[in-house]
Amino acid sequence: VITIDTFIEGFMFVEADARKTIKNMVNHLIQEHNAKYINFMTGKKEHQHAIKRLDGYIDALKENNIPIEEERIYYGDFWYNEGENFIHKILNSKLPFPHAICCASDHMAISVCNALEKNGIKVPDQVAVTGYDFILESITHNPSITSAVMPIEATAIKAMTLMHKTIENTSLDIDSISTVAELQIAESCGCNI
């Protein structure tokens, strides 16, 4: 048995490396947009994808010598439900207003953009926003959401390759069992693409 994108103890596992993808996204915000204050909205605290995406955010901050401020991290639900609560928390924080808000899903990014708009804050003019998953609504949203295209085909190929090598009893290259999503740069980060 090979599981894809969900780790289950005792089974072989192939994944899209969300940690590295989010790290690349946050690095884009830092290096291309000079963001120093970056808030992060991930999923539920115990969810394995939420943990990996949060780890990618932390990795990028550490790599760029930006302090990790717990108050900049918010646990959502990967859906549209928490955008207003997150923005309320940001607006009532004593921390400086963020240059960017990185979200662990496009649904959350869209809800954050909508909540910012309700509060008269313009994306990307006043704050950059990014998502993850590259859903159709992220393309049609105004502004279009900078996101990450899930490497579905590449992940499936890795799973089939792993299965074939296991059946053939050939050596396994451990580094080959994960893929990295490609950043899809759009308007919400300020690139205007």
Side-chain angles (χ1 to χ4, degrees), residues 57-121:
Y57 164 78
I58 292 168
D59 290 346
L61 294 185
K62 285 180 180 177
E63 186 176 281
N64 290 280
N65 298 312
I66 295 174
I68 297 156
E69 298 168 295
E70 290 295 323
E71 194 177 339
R72 292 199 181 276
I73 299 168
Y74 186 86
Y75 293 91
D77 59 3
F78 291 119
W79 200 239
Y80 299 104
N81 304 318
E82 293 294 325
E84 287 191 32
N85 292 334
F86 185 33
I87 297 309
H88 178 77
K89 178 184 174 188
I90 290 171
L91 293 174
N92 291 292
S93 172
K94 291 186 168 105
L95 294 175
F97 192 75
H99 299 130
I101 300 170
C102 182
C103 299
S105 80
D106 286 349
H107 297 100
M108 292 191 296
I110 290 165
S111 72
V112 162
C113 286
N114 293 342
L116 288 165
E117 183 181 342
K118 281 184 185 177
N119 285 279
I121 300 165

Side-chain angles (χ1 to χ4, degrees), residues 24 34 46 51 53 75 94-95 104 109 125 127 129 137 161-162:
N24 292 344
N34 202 30
E46 65 282 353
I51 294 165
R53 293 174 194 190
Y75 293 91
K94 291 186 168 105
L95 294 175
D125 299 342
V127 61
V129 176
E137 192 177 350
T161 301
L162 178 59

Side-chain angles (χ1 to χ4, degrees), residues 160-172:
M160 292 299 99
T161 301
L162 178 59
M163 183 180 294
H164 182 263
K165 286 185 174 191
T166 302
I167 291 167
E168 295 294 318
N169 201 25
T170 57
S171 64
L172 301 174

Side-chain angles (χ1 to χ4, degrees), residues 24-69:
N24 292 344
M25 183 72 76
V26 175
N27 278 334
H28 172 79
L29 293 168
I30 294 167
Q31 295 161 8
E32 298 299 321
H33 299 286
N34 202 30
K36 300 292 181 230
Y37 302 126
I38 303 169
N39 287 42
F40 188 71
M41 184 179 194
T42 192
K44 295 194 180 294
K45 218 174 209 179
E46 65 282 353
H47 194 286
Q48 61 182 295
H49 291 195
I51 294 165
K52 288 180 182 183
R53 293 174 194 190
L54 176 59
D55 287 344
Y57 164 78
I58 292 168
D59 290 346
L61 294 185
K62 285 180 180 177
E63 186 176 281
N64 290 280
N65 298 312
I66 295 174
I68 297 156
E69 298 168 295

